[in-house]
mmCIF file of all heavy atoms in Angstrom:
data_model
loop_
_atom_site.group_PDB
_atom_site.id
_atom_site.type_symbol
_atom_site.label_atom_id
_atom_site.label_comp_id
_atom_site.label_asym_id
_atom_site.label_seq_id
_atom_site.Cartn_x
_atom_site.Cartn_y
_atom_site.Cartn_z
ATOM 1 N N LEU A 114 -20.182 -3.112 -4.879
ATOM 2 C CA LEU A 114 -19.178 -3.790 -5.693
ATOM 3 C C LEU A 114 -17.852 -3.581 -5.076
ATOM 4 O O LEU A 114 -17.109 -4.653 -4.923
ATOM 5 C CB LEU A 114 -19.220 -3.082 -7.062
ATOM 6 C CG LEU A 114 -18.056 -3.567 -7.950
ATOM 7 C CD1 LEU A 114 -18.233 -4.945 -8.464
ATOM 8 C CD2 LEU A 114 -18.055 -2.598 -9.154
ATOM 9 N N VAL A 115 -17.355 -2.347 -4.771
ATOM 10 C CA VAL A 115 -15.957 -2.066 -4.391
ATOM 11 C C VAL A 115 -15.801 -2.695 -2.935
ATOM 12 O O VAL A 115 -14.824 -3.339 -2.696
ATOM 13 C CB VAL A 115 -15.756 -0.661 -4.293
ATOM 14 C CG1 VAL A 115 -14.378 -0.301 -3.726
ATOM 15 C CG2 VAL A 115 -15.784 -0.077 -5.788
ATOM 16 N N ALA A 116 -16.669 -2.576 -2.128
ATOM 17 C CA ALA A 116 -16.641 -3.139 -0.655
ATOM 18 C C ALA A 116 -16.518 -4.661 -0.725
ATOM 19 O O ALA A 116 -15.695 -5.242 0.072
ATOM 20 C CB ALA A 116 -17.849 -2.700 0.124
ATOM 21 N N ALA A 117 -17.227 -5.297 -1.614
ATOM 22 C CA ALA A 117 -17.271 -6.743 -1.651
ATOM 23 C C ALA A 117 -15.846 -7.226 -2.125
ATOM 24 O O ALA A 117 -15.367 -8.202 -1.609
ATOM 25 C CB ALA A 117 -18.431 -7.257 -2.559
ATOM 26 N N HIS A 118 -15.390 -6.576 -3.181
ATOM 27 C CA HIS A 118 -14.050 -6.975 -3.616
ATOM 28 C C HIS A 118 -13.034 -6.771 -2.599
ATOM 29 O O HIS A 118 -12.146 -7.485 -2.311
ATOM 30 C CB HIS A 118 -13.692 -6.305 -4.988
ATOM 31 C CG HIS A 118 -14.335 -7.008 -6.082
ATOM 32 N ND1 HIS A 118 -13.671 -8.075 -6.745
ATOM 33 C CD2 HIS A 118 -15.447 -6.850 -6.791
ATOM 34 C CE1 HIS A 118 -14.456 -8.409 -7.813
ATOM 35 N NE2 HIS A 118 -15.509 -7.710 -7.824
ATOM 36 N N ALA A 119 -13.000 -5.641 -1.983
ATOM 37 C CA ALA A 119 -11.947 -5.275 -0.885
ATOM 38 C C ALA A 119 -12.142 -6.373 0.201
ATOM 39 O O ALA A 119 -11.085 -6.661 0.678
ATOM 40 C CB ALA A 119 -12.237 -3.979 -0.332
ATOM 41 N N ALA A 120 -13.330 -6.740 0.616
ATOM 42 C CA ALA A 120 -13.437 -7.710 1.581
ATOM 43 C C ALA A 120 -12.932 -9.076 1.257
ATOM 44 O O ALA A 120 -12.448 -9.829 2.107
ATOM 45 C CB ALA A 120 -14.880 -7.860 2.007
ATOM 46 N N ARG A 121 -13.014 -9.487 0.048
ATOM 47 C CA ARG A 121 -12.508 -10.708 -0.392
ATOM 48 C C ARG A 121 -11.053 -10.741 -0.554
ATOM 49 O O ARG A 121 -10.506 -12.032 -0.471
ATOM 50 C CB ARG A 121 -13.135 -11.108 -1.660
ATOM 51 C CG ARG A 121 -14.550 -11.618 -1.624
ATOM 52 C CD ARG A 121 -14.569 -12.813 -0.824
ATOM 53 N NE ARG A 121 -15.854 -13.502 -1.022
ATOM 54 C CZ ARG A 121 -16.186 -14.569 -0.237
ATOM 55 N NH1 ARG A 121 -15.445 -14.972 0.627
ATOM 56 N NH2 ARG A 121 -17.295 -15.005 -0.402
ATOM 57 N N HIS A 122 -10.385 -9.836 -0.775
ATOM 58 C CA HIS A 122 -9.013 -9.893 -0.913
ATOM 59 C C HIS A 122 -8.199 -9.765 0.418
ATOM 60 O O HIS A 122 -8.731 -9.164 1.376
ATOM 61 C CB HIS A 122 -8.488 -8.745 -1.927
ATOM 62 C CG HIS A 122 -8.901 -9.002 -3.221
ATOM 63 N ND1 HIS A 122 -8.243 -9.721 -4.190
ATOM 64 C CD2 HIS A 122 -10.061 -8.528 -3.968
ATOM 65 C CE1 HIS A 122 -8.842 -9.740 -5.375
ATOM 66 N NE2 HIS A 122 -9.902 -9.008 -5.245
ATOM 67 N N GLY A 123 -6.932 -10.210 0.449
ATOM 68 C CA GLY A 123 -6.192 -10.131 1.655
ATOM 69 C C GLY A 123 -6.244 -11.351 2.470
ATOM 70 O O GLY A 123 -5.370 -11.593 3.303
ATOM 71 N N GLY A 124 -7.186 -12.294 2.257
ATOM 72 C CA GLY A 124 -7.182 -13.437 2.924
ATOM 73 C C GLY A 124 -6.600 -14.566 2.015
ATOM 74 O O GLY A 124 -5.495 -14.449 1.537
ATOM 75 N N GLU A 125 -7.449 -15.618 1.835
ATOM 76 C CA GLU A 125 -6.985 -16.757 0.980
ATOM 77 C C GLU A 125 -7.172 -16.460 -0.464
ATOM 78 O O GLU A 125 -6.597 -17.249 -1.289
ATOM 79 C CB GLU A 125 -7.707 -18.013 1.451
ATOM 80 C CG GLU A 125 -9.272 -17.959 1.076
ATOM 81 C CD GLU A 125 -10.080 -19.083 1.559
ATOM 82 O OE1 GLU A 125 -9.739 -20.217 0.949
ATOM 83 O OE2 GLU A 125 -10.745 -18.953 2.475
ATOM 84 N N TYR A 126 -7.794 -15.420 -0.934
ATOM 85 C CA TYR A 126 -7.989 -15.261 -2.294
ATOM 86 C C TYR A 126 -6.929 -14.321 -2.907
ATOM 87 O O TYR A 126 -6.600 -13.162 -2.315
ATOM 88 C CB TYR A 126 -9.389 -14.565 -2.552
ATOM 89 C CG TYR A 126 -10.539 -15.426 -2.126
ATOM 90 C CD1 TYR A 126 -11.061 -15.280 -0.852
ATOM 91 C CD2 TYR A 126 -10.909 -16.446 -2.940
ATOM 92 C CE1 TYR A 126 -12.115 -16.082 -0.621
ATOM 93 C CE2 TYR A 126 -11.951 -17.334 -2.522
ATOM 94 C CZ TYR A 126 -12.600 -17.133 -1.353
ATOM 95 O OH TYR A 126 -13.504 -17.917 -0.897
#
Side-chain angles (χ1 to χ4, degrees):
L114 174 74
V115 175
H118 276 275
R121 280 297 195 191
H122 291 274
E125 64 182 291
Y126 298 98

